[in-house]
Amino acid sequence: MSTSSNNVKKLVFLLITLLCVVVAVLYTLFAARTANVAVGNLASAPSVNPPAYSQHEPLQRPLVSPLASPSDNPAPPSHELGGKRQAKPRLVALNLRDSAELGKVTLSALDAVDEPRTAINLRCEQIYFAADKGICLSREIHRLSARTVATLVDANFQPLSSVRADGIPTRARISPDGRYAAFTVFVTGHSYDDPQMSTATLLLDAATGASLGNLEEFKVLQDGNVIKSLDFNYWGVTFQHDSNFFYATLRTGGVNYLVHGDIKAKTVTVTYKGVECPSLSPDESRIAFKKMVSRGNWRLTVLNLATFAEIPLAETKSVDDQAEWLDNDHVLYTRPDPAAPPPGMSIMVVSADGSGQAKVFAKGAASPAVVR
């Protein structure tokens, strides 16, 4: 093979090698440029942070704390109570007959409670209304602990303020002038026939939602003497027309007492024995209450505050409720009703003088409040 032929082969080989090197360099530059573009796009993309973990505060007793958002279900302002639109007395209650509206507040004329009721977009476990204020009790569960959410609403059922309190909701009242609110929760236990149950009863300024204290902070007077005990439990507040004064139940030593309270003085005075869940009549002369006959069995009874005479009412079935006066002659209350749709509860009515018999007043309803 000649020398010139070898030189040509070497030259071709060098050219091919150089071409491969050039292609490799160009590919590397292109790839690097593409990668830089991709990294630049990622760097300019908005960052997404994981949601912050929200944890309930530790539960304490008693706890009352303001809520930032009083209600997730504000009602449309079209059902005013207590104002000029209030042409005749109304019944505010909870619906228990329509599964789609179960637990919603309803509004109906007092003389037509079984006609179609107006449903308000507000769900509660207890509702009460007086003057131009209402209180709605509901609950929230965190792990194995329950809290009551007490929401104060105006005449349009619009939320004004809310507070939380540890425990299960059980009783609620508004003073006749709309100045004060009171509610009770089970801190431990879930029934008034449980000797180990513990309650907390809180007073609120209904205009601002500010706490006025737990009744356990009030001084207790009996026969002119101050008494103290670690086992005091209160429930079932009912206000006088002069809303500074109220009645409630105090349990101590396993005995239930009717007490008369003074908000300004922060005192309660033991008045009578054996009264649970008192409800003051419109003329303020009598107390409707449930009287324990045996454990888990209560007889609806009326107490004359002048003579302390007791009148057992014609309702012979057990009543575990805080009654509401329909007028000076009749009492409303909630009890199981087999004829009502599930969960089988109705508002009943009975004469306050012990005569007659109990009748269904509003089928498939609970937590009555008469608004005039």
Side-chain angles (χ1 to χ4, degrees):
M1 183 177 294
S2 65
T3 302
S4 60
S5 176
N6 288 334
N7 290 337
V8 171
K9 289 181 178 179
K10 289 179 181 180
L11 180 60
V12 171
F13 175 77
L14 289 174
L15 291 174
I16 293 173
T17 302
L18 181 61
L19 180 61
C20 290
V21 171
V22 170
V23 170
V25 170
L26 291 176
Y27 178 81
T28 301
L29 291 174
F30 177 79
R33 184 179 178 183
T34 303
N36 286 337
V37 171
V39 171
N41 288 341
L42 287 174
S44 61
S47 61
V48 179
N49 295 322
Y53 176 66
S54 176
Q55 184 175 6
H56 289 273
E57 313 94 276
L59 300 182
Q60 302 173 8
R61 180 185 186 273
L63 170 67
V64 180
S65 58
L67 282 176
S69 301
S71 174
D72 294 327
N73 297 308
S78 59
H79 310 293
E80 185 176 1
L81 287 174
K84 292 182 179 179
R85 298 185 210 178
Q86 179 75 8
K88 53 185 178 180
R90 302 290 185 91
L91 178 73
V92 176
L94 295 181
N95 172 60
L96 296 181
R97 68 178 181 181
D98 183 350
S99 58
E101 306 291 333
L102 189 67
K104 279 192 175 182
V105 176
T106 61
L107 180 63
S108 58
L110 200 58
D111 58 358
V113 293
D114 276 328
E115 292 183 7
R117 305 166 190 164
T118 301
I120 310 299
N121 193 26
L122 183 67
R123 277 189 165 90
C124 314
E125 291 188 35
Q126 291 285 330
I127 184 71
Y128 197 78
F129 221 101
D132 59 351
K133 297 288 192 308
I135 182 169
C136 166
L137 301 187
S138 57
R139 83 176 79 180
E140 60 182 20
I141 303 295
H142 177 62
R143 296 174 184 167
L144 298 179
S145 298
R147 274 186 176 175
T148 291
V149 181
T151 301
L152 296 168
V153 299
D154 64 15
N156 292 319
F157 296 93
Q158 292 293 303
L160 296 171
S161 59
S162 293
V163 296
R164 287 175 176 166
D166 297 346
I168 300 171
T170 174
R171 299 288 184 252
R173 280 297 187 267
I174 296 280
S175 62
D177 59 3
R179 183 178 180 185
Y180 297 116
F183 69 99
T184 300
V185 300
F186 285 120
V187 179
T188 60
H190 60 277
S191 173
Y192 291 107
D193 68 354
D194 181 356
Q196 304 303 317
M197 70 87 179
S198 176
T199 63
T201 296
L202 304 168
L203 293 174
L204 304 175
D205 182 320
T208 66
S211 172
L212 301 177
N214 187 322
L215 287 190
E216 292 176 24
E217 300 166 2
F218 280 40
K219 182 186 296 184
V220 182
L221 303 174
Q222 185 175 30
D223 299 326
N225 300 314
V226 176
I227 62 172
K228 298 180 180 180
S229 178
L230 295 176
D231 73 343
F232 283 169
N233 282 290
Y234 292 88
W235 66 90
V237 169
T238 182
F239 291 96
Q240 293 183 214
H241 292 297
D242 179 348
S243 57
N244 180 63
F245 301 102
F246 64 89
Y247 290 91
T249 294
L250 164 64
R251 177 182 290 178
T252 180
V255 180
N256 301 322
Y257 296 94
L258 177 69
V259 294
H260 187 230
D262 183 327
I263 295 176
K264 291 179 182 178
K266 297 199 77 171
T267 62
V268 297
T269 302
V270 175
T271 303
Y272 191 71
K273 184 178 177 181
V275 173
E276 289 188 63
C277 298
S279 178
L280 186 62
S281 62
D283 62 9
E284 301 192 345
S285 67
R286 292 153 295 160
I287 290 280
F289 69 100
K290 60 177 198 175
K291 183 181 181 69
M292 182 174 283
V293 178
S294 58
R295 185 171 178 178
N297 183 24
W298 293 273
R299 180 70 180 262
L300 195 60
T301 305
V302 166
L303 175 71
N304 186 304
L305 290 173
T307 65
F308 293 106
E310 294 185 14
I311 302 175
L313 302 190
E315 174 60 84
T316 57
K317 294 183 179 179
S318 180
V319 175
D320 183 9
D321 192 25
Q322 185 172 13
E324 168 76 343
W325 289 79
L326 175 63
D327 49 41
N328 278 313
D329 301 315
H330 300 87
V331 174
L332 302 177
Y333 54 96
T334 304
R335 72 156 170 78
D337 176 13
M345 303 288 286
S346 289
I347 297 171
M348 311 295 292
V349 62
V350 69
S351 294
D353 62 2
S355 64
Q357 60 182 5
K359 298 179 181 179
V360 173
F361 183 76
K363 187 177 291 293
S367 196
V370 176
V371 184
R372 300 185 183 280

